[in-house]
């Protein structure tokens, strides 16, 4: 495995960083709706499992609050 491969973030990390950047830039604020698993998957061309992992990690880190429905 090359060094370059080791430095690339996991796909879910790219989505995590995107949402975090949207919050930091003020495009998403307290109470705003974050894109859904499906919306993020389509936006980034990844599986829904990948977008779910990103949102679960954001929730675990206290960045967002996930609400079903």
């Amino acid at each position: 495995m090359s060094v370059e491969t080791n430095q690339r973030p996991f796909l879910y990390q790219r989505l995590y960083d995107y949402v975090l950047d949207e919050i930091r830039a003020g495009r998403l604020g307290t109470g705003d709706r974050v894109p859904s698993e499906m919306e993020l998957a389509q936006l980034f061309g990844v599986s829904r499992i990948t977008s779910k992992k990103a949102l679960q990690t954001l929730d675990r880190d206290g960045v967002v609050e996930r609400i079903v429905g």
Side-chain angles (χ1 to χ4, degrees):
M1 191 179 280
S2 71
V3 173
E4 183 178 312
T5 304
N6 289 333
Q7 293 178 344
R8 282 189 279 174
F10 292 107
L11 287 175
Y12 82 88
Q13 186 66 45
R14 288 179 41 213
L15 280 67
Y16 180 104
D17 291 342
Y18 167 78
V19 173
L20 200 54
D21 288 344
E22 291 293 294
I23 293 168
R24 288 180 177 153
R27 291 184 288 272
L28 286 173
T30 303
D32 287 347
R33 183 183 168 281
V34 174
S36 69
E37 291 175 11
M38 189 59 73
E39 291 167 336
L40 283 173
Q42 290 174 344
L43 182 65
F44 283 86
V46 297
S47 73
R48 192 166 148 231
I49 293 169
T50 300
S51 61
K52 181 177 183 174
K53 170 82 172 170
L55 291 172
Q56 286 175 329
T57 306
L58 285 159
D59 183 43
R60 181 200 69 204
D61 292 349
V63 177
V64 301
E65 179 183 354
R66 297 192 75 196
I67 299 171
V68 177

